[in-house]
Amino acid sequence: MTAPAHDPDCVFCKIAAGQIPSKKVYEDEEILAFHDIAPWAPVHFLLIPKAHIPSFAQIGPEHAALMGRIMTLAPRLALEQGCRPYPEGGFRVVVNTGADGGQEVHHLHVHVMGGPRPWARG
Ligand code: 5GP
Ligand code: ZN
């Protein structure tokens, strides 16, 4: 049985569906990027697949194109959102996965954090 594409109890599914507002950074048919509600850094946004994938642990070969698109969007959006250019600037990409990985929201998301230091956290 395949996992449902939308989990009605999932906060990021609700954001993807527009049921909870977010400050959008980017959107296409399968991907949404939006600002983190509790930013660690001057730039802090999340990239998510619109489909409900619980975590990075569920990623397999069938997700190669989707993950490739998410990872190629990250540097472009980082610059657009105000991260300074590499190498003086740059950004941090984090995918918390599972309890030991510190994951709190169980809908796959890629954190992109950057901007001048010091940061609020991290
Ligand atoms: P995790 O610890 O699961 O990797 O990170 C979840 C992130 O989602 C946290 O950084 C948290 O601030 C963010 N977050 C949780 N709920 C919301 C929300 O309703 N809206 C937005 N924009 N971010 C959220
Ligand atoms: Zn979800």
Side-chain angles (χ1 to χ4, degrees), residues 2-17:
T2 50
H6 180 92
D7 176 345
D9 298 323
C10 169
V11 64
F12 286 179
C13 281
K14 289 180 185 169
I15 287 176

Side-chain angles (χ1 to χ4, degrees), residues 11-12 15 20-23 34-40 44 46 94-97 101-107 109 111 121:
V11 64
F12 286 179
I15 287 176
I20 292 177
S22 67
K23 269 178 67 188
F34 55 95
H35 291 278
D36 196 292
I37 206 166
W40 285 34
H44 186 175
L46 306 173
V94 173
V95 188
N96 296 325
T97 306
Q103 184 180 6
E104 290 177 0
V105 176
H106 288 265
H107 179 131
H109 52 280
H111 294 259
R121 295 174 74 183

Side-chain angles (χ1 to χ4, degrees), residues 15-102:
I15 287 176
Q19 293 161 350
I20 292 177
S22 67
K23 269 178 67 188
K24 260 179 225 171
V25 166
Y26 173 87
E27 181 169 21
D28 64 32
E29 317 74 52
E30 59 177 1
I31 295 167
L32 179 69
F34 55 95
H35 291 278
D36 196 292
I37 206 166
W40 285 34
V43 177
H44 186 175
F45 62 89
L46 306 173
L47 278 152
I48 67 166
K50 288 186 173 177
H52 183 78
I53 300 170
S55 85
F56 204 25
Q58 280 74 42
I59 291 302
E62 69 275 26
H63 301 111
L66 171 69
M67 295 311 293
R69 293 198 57 238
I70 287 176
M71 295 311 273
T72 50
L73 275 165
R76 186 190 114 191
L77 298 180
L79 285 177
E80 284 179 14
Q81 291 305 310
C83 292
R84 297 172 299 166
Y86 173 92
E88 293 80 11
F91 48 85
R92 177 178 288 177
V93 175
V94 173
V95 188
N96 296 325
T97 306
D100 286 350

